[in-house]
Amino acid sequence: MGLAEVFLEQYRHPHFPDVLATTSELEALLGSDVVVVEVDVDPVAYDHGHVPGARQWDWAMDLRDPATEEVIDEAGFRVLMERTGIGNGTPVVLYGDNNGWFACWAYWIMKSYGHNDVRVLDGGANKWLAERRPLSTDAPSFVPTSYEVQQADHDYQATSTDVMKAMLAPDSSRILDVRSKAEYRGELLGPGVGMPETCAVGGHIPTALNVPWDLNCGADGSFKSPEELKALYAQYGVSGEQSIITYCAIGERASLSWFVLHELLGYEAKNYDRSMSYWSRLPNAPVVEGEAA
């Protein structure tokens, strides 16, 4: 058993040991073979202080193709892994600001391409900072690797056709719009906080329920307990009995809600990563303004 496995056993997350890392666990892992990656809404935040040894991914440049604004393909993922010194067997912990929007998006991408030894830091950068844990402004040194990427697993990703089918079968499928109420109603075309307004029109996909992403988290930014999360979604008639599709504007907040539903609660869920930015530009794709009926 290697050093990483010893620490992961000793500091296991009390509720979700296989997919989340606690701040105590991550601090104990510093200097081990675990690679830490920071992915922020605001990439400049990394330069002001990050977890010692953490590498940085820029969500706009590293996790999607700037030319197409689509999630990176297999070749792009391989280049990213090799360039940042991550091998096929490398354990990874992801974290970032805004309770982990883009950390969860990066997790979703890594799992989609078959990298299974990956966790999200519970509470993200905010909790790490609030607890006054170690910070560094030094750029880490590492050796580029060779990476054999797997073909994308589309079981993690919902297509526009999947959304259409779910829209026509609301009894067996749930579509969750995880944006703010103002975005859902069509009053805003983006989330603010420095993010672009990417939706062509305001409103939401018909039959979609508005369950804002931040309801998944407590005051310190960490995820709520299993009991609290199940009770939250039960209020909206969502359980493990239906298939679920999450979406937002470009897929990052939807990844956080997908992470909760699929990884923490074990529900059948997919992320519609193209989300409203794409849906709102599809010919004849219906969009509804205001509150749900």
Side-chain angles (χ1 to χ4, degrees):
M1 181 179 290
L3 180 61
E5 287 80 2
V6 171
F7 278 124
L8 289 172
E9 181 66 30
Q10 181 180 357
Y11 293 94
R12 299 173 68 84
H13 192 282
H15 300 308
F16 310 108
D18 296 329
V19 293
L20 283 176
T22 65
T23 51
S24 296
E25 175 184 25
L26 182 56
E27 184 171 355
L29 288 168
L30 296 181
S32 73
D33 58 345
V34 173
V35 169
V36 183
V37 179
E38 180 169 338
V39 200
D40 296 311
V41 173
D42 178 13
V44 176
Y46 176 86
D47 297 327
H48 296 315
H50 50 263
V51 173
R55 294 151 209 194
Q56 182 187 31
W57 290 345
D58 183 319
W59 68 268
M61 303 301 295
D62 294 326
L63 298 182
R64 68 174 186 173
D65 185 333
T68 64
E69 296 188 348
E70 296 280 349
V71 170
I72 51 175
D73 59 13
E74 286 95 335
F77 183 74
R78 176 182 58 78
V79 169
L80 177 62
M81 295 297 102
E82 294 182 342
R83 179 172 58 79
T84 50
I86 297 173
N88 287 84
T90 302
V92 177
V93 175
L94 300 161
Y95 80 100
D97 57 8
N98 280 49
N99 294 18
W101 285 6
F102 285 107
C104 289
W105 198 38
Y107 177 98
W108 176 78
I109 293 170
M110 294 188 76
K111 296 290 278 192
S112 296
Y113 288 121
H115 195 104
N116 292 317
D117 198 355
V118 55
R119 290 169 171 78
V120 171
L121 177 64
D122 198 11
N126 287 349
K127 190 174 184 188
W128 186 270
L129 291 169
E131 295 174 348
R132 299 184 180 277
R133 295 188 183 273
L135 291 173
S136 173
T137 55
D138 296 335
S141 60
F142 51 86
V143 179
T145 61
S146 176
Y147 196 96
E148 185 176 343
V149 66
Q150 298 184 28
Q151 186 175 1
D153 184 347
H154 295 294
D155 286 343
Y156 289 88
Q157 181 184 46
T159 65
S160 300
T161 300
D162 294 330
V163 175
M164 288 282 191
K165 291 179 179 177
M167 189 176 66
L168 298 173
D171 292 336
S172 58
S173 302
R174 296 286 189 271
I175 303 174
L176 303 187
D177 185 321
V178 313
R179 298 175 300 164
S180 67
K181 291 188 179 298
E183 291 173 272
Y184 178 79
R185 290 193 294 255
E187 298 162 7
L188 295 175
L189 299 180
V193 298
M195 296 285 290
E197 291 188 336
T198 55
C199 301
V201 297
H204 59 270
I205 297 171
T207 76
L209 302 169
N210 185 213
V211 188
W213 68 273
D214 56 352
L215 296 179
N216 294 294
C217 304
D220 66 351
S222 60
F223 292 105
K224 294 178 179 177
S225 70
E227 295 75 22
E228 290 173 312
L229 291 170
K230 288 177 182 178
L232 165 65
Y233 284 99
Q235 294 176 27
Y236 296 89
V238 177
S239 69
E241 297 178 1
Q242 311 98 4
S243 61
I244 305 164
I245 294 175
T246 61
Y247 78 90
C248 57
I250 64 171
E252 85 295 351
R253 290 172 289 174
S255 296
L256 186 147
S257 293
W258 167 86
F259 180 83
V260 168
L261 291 160
H262 189 273
E263 300 294 84
L264 302 190
L265 297 182
Y267 293 173
E268 180 186 344
K270 293 185 177 183
N271 178 25
Y272 181 41
D273 64 295
R274 285 179 159 182
S275 287
M276 277 301 291
S277 293
Y278 186 83
W279 181 270
S280 64
R281 289 173 170 80
L282 283 175
N284 303 317
V287 176
V288 180
E289 292 184 346
E291 297 287 351

